[in-house]
């Protein structure tokens, strides 16, 4: 929200913002294991890490939008695919035969974050479609939401975010529940990496498909697929492990394939001089929604008394709302 209010991505060179944010996020990540001595120390360093991610993910999308006016859906498919792989990567480190400690995993992820920032700074110049933004005015944020198509894309994205990160956060929990029910064991971290990471391929594939069908249709059918997974989750939680893994792979494919296409729609429907602000404000609201969603799932698991098999149905309102806004957009366009 601070990045959006100050229009950081529109007023300053995006590649430098990306690098500086990567550097500071990596430092905060390391501070968790080097300086934090108690619960609040951990919370503060995690908060700072999350704060500077605002200069990485949405700014990365802004950079892509500056380079690609046509083919943006494909470009963002690759970019969000990389995000997915990066999100899944710590699970792979934890599940590897190296048996890395949490501290060593944190070192690895911090170094990779810093290297990503260096690569952007050294090799990615300003895109040909970039326009330097204006000084911040509160009306800039109101301005971007006045566009009906932009509102449809943004609110569709908000529905998608209600589901996405909560699903990712609870993948290891889902695996654990199914294994306990079937009285077997396997490498939960490795399979968490696979289930989350497979979304990288669906993002890339969706990007190419969007070149023929349009971003809105790809987002609509991906969101429809993940919504069906939410609705059917109570059937599969106690299924045989192989069937359950196939179900989770389908969910992992559909839950993220719409994300780059929503970002494409947001970028395409926002005014050029406010594109970075628009991407950042929409992303910040989307991540704020995940706080509510994750906390709700946590409450339902621990205090509601509901069977875990029925809890993930509460993710369904997000896809339903997103589909409603997308349907309006498709009907108009």
């Amino acid at each position: 929200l601070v990045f959006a209010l100050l229009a950081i991505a529109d007023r300053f060179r995006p590649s430098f913002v990306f690098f500086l944010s990567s550097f500071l996020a990596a430092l905060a990540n390391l501070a968790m294991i080097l300086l934090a001595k108690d619960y609040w120390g951990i919370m503060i360093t995690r908060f700072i890490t999350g704060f500077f991610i605002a200069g990485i993910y949405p700014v990365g999308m802004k950079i892509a939008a500056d380079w690609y006016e046509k083919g943006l859906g494909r470009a963002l498919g690759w970019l969000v695919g990389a995000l997915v792989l990066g999100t899944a990567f710590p699970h792979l480190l934890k599940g590897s035969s190296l048996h890395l400690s949490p501290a060593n995993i944190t070192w690895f992820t911090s170094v990779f974050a810093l290297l990503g920032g260096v690569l952007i700074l050294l090799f990615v110049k300003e895109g040909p479609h970039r326009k330097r933004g204006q000084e911040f005015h509160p009306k800039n944020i109101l301005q971007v939401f006045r566009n009906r198509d932009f509102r449809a894309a943004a609110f569709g994205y908000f529905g998608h975010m209600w589901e996405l990160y909560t699903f990712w956060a609870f993948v290891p929990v889902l695996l654990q529940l199914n294994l306990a029910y079937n009285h077997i064991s396997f490498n939960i971290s490795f399979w968490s990496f696979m289930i989350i990471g497979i979304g990288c391929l669906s993002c890339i594939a969706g990007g190419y498909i969007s070149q023929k069908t349009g971003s809105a249709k790809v987002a609509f059918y991906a969101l429809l697929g993940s919504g069906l997974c939410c609705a059917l989750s109570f059937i599969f939680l106690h299924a045989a492990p192989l069937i359950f893994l196939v179900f989770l792979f389908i969910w992992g494919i559909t839950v993220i394939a719409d994300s780059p296409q929503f970002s494409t729609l947001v970028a395409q429907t926002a005014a050029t001089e406010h594109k970075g602000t628009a991407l950042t404000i929409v992303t910040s609201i989307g991540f704020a929604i995940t706080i509510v969603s994750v906390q709700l799932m946590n409450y339902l698991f621990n205090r509601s008394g509901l069977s875990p098999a029925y809890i993930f149905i509460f993710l369904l309102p997000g896809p339903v709302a997103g589909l409603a806004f997308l349907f309006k957009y498709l009907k108009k366009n």
Side-chain angles (χ1 to χ4, degrees):
L1 182 61
V2 170
F3 272 72
L5 292 175
L6 300 179
I8 298 293
D10 289 316
R11 293 168 55 199
F12 301 99
R13 186 158 64 99
S15 58
F16 181 75
V17 174
F18 189 106
F19 163 74
L20 186 61
S21 298
S22 299
F23 174 70
L24 294 173
L27 285 183
N29 207 40
L30 286 175
M32 179 184 66
I33 58 172
L34 297 177
L35 300 177
K37 303 298 182 183
D38 55 19
Y39 174 84
W40 286 109
I42 293 172
M43 290 298 102
I44 291 169
T45 54
R46 298 315 292 156
F47 179 87
I48 296 171
T49 304
F51 180 91
F52 285 110
I53 286 175
I56 301 172
Y57 174 35
V59 173
M61 293 190 292
K62 158 70 172 166
I63 292 170
D66 288 344
W67 274 98
Y68 293 90
E69 199 164 43
K70 294 182 179 180
L72 180 58
R74 182 181 62 205
L76 288 181
W78 280 94
L79 189 144
V80 178
L83 162 77
V84 175
L85 209 55
T87 301
F89 184 61
H91 290 289
L92 180 63
L93 288 175
K94 184 180 179 183
S96 72
S97 58
L98 297 175
H99 302 294
L100 296 173
S101 67
N104 285 332
I105 292 172
T106 304
W107 273 101
F108 266 102
T109 55
S110 300
V111 169
F112 278 118
L114 180 57
L115 286 176
V118 171
L119 288 172
I120 291 291
L121 183 66
L122 293 180
F123 298 109
V124 180
K125 302 183 184 300
E126 289 190 12
H129 304 294
R130 182 183 179 228
K131 288 187 179 180
R132 188 174 296 276
Q134 306 166 352
E135 294 293 321
F136 169 71
H137 295 287
K139 67 178 183 180
N140 290 353
I141 291 178
L142 296 176
Q143 185 71 31
V144 296
F145 278 98
R146 284 183 182 144
N147 184 308
R148 184 177 297 177
D149 287 344
F150 177 85
R151 287 201 306 272
F155 282 93
Y157 177 79
F158 298 155
H160 150 78
M161 288 296 282
W162 174 263
E163 176 194 14
L164 174 63
Y165 275 86
T166 304
F167 170 71
W168 278 353
F170 280 86
V171 164
V173 178
L174 283 166
L175 289 169
Q176 181 108 26
L177 288 168
N178 184 262
L179 295 181
Y181 181 80
N182 288 287
H183 305 291
I184 63 169
S185 63
F186 54 65
N187 192 327
I188 289 178
S189 294
F190 172 78
W191 286 106
S192 296
F193 164 77
M194 294 294 290
I195 291 161
I196 297 171
I198 198 171
C200 171
L201 300 179
S202 64
C203 284
I204 294 170
Y208 282 96
I209 295 170
S210 72
Q211 303 306 290
K212 295 183 178 181
T213 66
S215 293
K217 284 188 178 179
V218 173
F220 183 89
Y221 287 109
L223 194 57
L224 177 62
S226 64
L228 287 173
C229 289
C230 294
L232 298 174
S233 57
F234 73 98
I235 297 175
F236 287 93
L237 184 62
H238 294 155
L242 180 59
I243 295 173
F244 186 61
L245 283 174
V246 170
F247 170 72
L248 287 184
F249 271 113
I250 294 171
W251 203 347
I253 288 168
T254 56
V255 75
I256 186 61
D258 48 355
S259 193
Q261 305 315 315
F262 275 123
S263 297
T264 299
L265 293 172
V266 167
Q268 290 176 340
T269 54
T272 303
E273 64 271 19
H274 302 313
K275 195 172 291 184
T277 297
L279 285 165
T280 306
I281 190 66
V282 169
T283 305
S284 72
I285 294 172
F287 275 91
I289 288 170
T290 70
I291 297 172
V292 179
S293 180
V294 170
Q295 292 300 324
L296 174 63
M297 286 298 110
N298 193 50
Y299 172 82
L300 293 175
F301 262 103
N302 294 312
R303 299 185 182 180
S304 69
L306 286 173
S307 167
Y310 294 97
I311 287 174
F312 279 84
I313 296 175
F314 287 87
L315 293 180
L316 185 58
V320 169
L323 288 169
F325 283 102
L326 267 180
F327 183 76
K328 290 181 181 178
Y329 180 92
L330 286 167
K331 192 175 180 180
K332 180 185 174 186
N333 296 279

